Amino acid sequence: MIDIRTRIAEETKTAMKAGQKERVTTLRMIGAKIKDADIAARGQGKEALSDDDITSTLRSMVKSRQESVKMYLEGGREDLAEKEQHEIEVIREFLPPEMDEATLKAAVEAAIAEAGASTMKDMGKVMGALKSKFGASLDLGRANGLVKAALSA
């Protein structure tokens, strides 16, 4: 299977040949963000980012753009919101498909049972179990909300 870096590079070349300027800009921005994260990791003595690390970086890019879309819409700047939405669509092409709500709930329930969690103090154990089992395919933000709800009940 092709790694995310290679896919991004190939998609950038394809978009350049097709004259898709906005797509090229977004793909280059993604590549730059990954390089920045690689440099930061090297500064901490780590190797280059793994695909799971890149996926986490891409998820954070999507999240920040979603927040921007909301702010732009509230401010009446539909043009900027549309640009951010386009960037989100391009970034999501490189993310694994997200779990549907039922699958995520089942995974959370299983992790809670495995960890023997019963209070909010056990949240870290549950989130750790979910992260180790599902890695980057798990949207930690969505899982976090479900774990909180389950442990608060």
Side-chain angles (χ1 to χ4, degrees):
M1 185 171 157
I2 300 175
D3 71 339
I4 296 174
R5 287 174 207 275
T6 305
R7 282 184 48 217
I8 291 169
E10 288 174 0
E11 287 292 326
T12 303
K13 289 176 194 170
T14 302
M16 288 171 74
K17 289 177 184 173
Q20 299 169 322
K21 291 180 182 177
E22 286 182 22
R23 183 171 173 80
V24 170
T25 301
T26 303
L27 290 166
R28 284 182 172 162
M29 177 194 51
I30 294 168
K33 181 72 171 177
I34 292 170
K35 283 182 184 174
D36 288 347
D38 274 339
I39 291 167
R42 269 189 253 130
Q44 298 171 351
K46 299 177 183 173
E47 293 294 316
L49 299 180
S50 67
D51 272 359
D52 280 354
D53 294 330
I54 292 172
T55 299
S56 295
T57 300
L58 295 176
R59 281 196 200 285
S60 71
M61 291 175 73
V62 167
K63 183 177 180 185
S64 70
R65 276 159 187 73
Q66 287 171 330
E67 291 167 2
S68 295
V69 166
K70 185 179 176 188
M71 289 190 316
Y72 287 142
L73 289 174
E74 288 171 1
R77 294 297 311 263
E78 283 78 16
D79 55 328
L80 295 175
E82 191 175 309
K83 180 182 178 287
E84 295 285 325
Q85 194 60 47
H86 172 72
E87 289 177 2
I88 289 170
E89 290 168 14
V90 173
I91 295 166
R92 281 194 171 143
E93 291 176 25
F94 302 98
L95 290 172
E98 289 187 8
M99 288 184 199
D100 61 46
E101 202 65 26
T103 307
L104 183 57
K105 280 184 180 179
V108 166
E109 289 169 8
I112 288 171
E114 274 179 36
S118 58
T119 67
M120 287 299 289
K121 289 180 183 177
D122 300 321
M123 185 157 177
K125 285 194 279 186
V126 175
M127 292 302 292
L130 285 169
K131 193 170 184 177
S132 67
K133 187 171 184 178
F134 296 103
S137 66
L138 179 70
D139 181 345
L140 290 175
R142 286 176 55 215
N144 192 326
L146 290 173
V147 172
K148 277 184 183 174
L151 293 178
S152 297

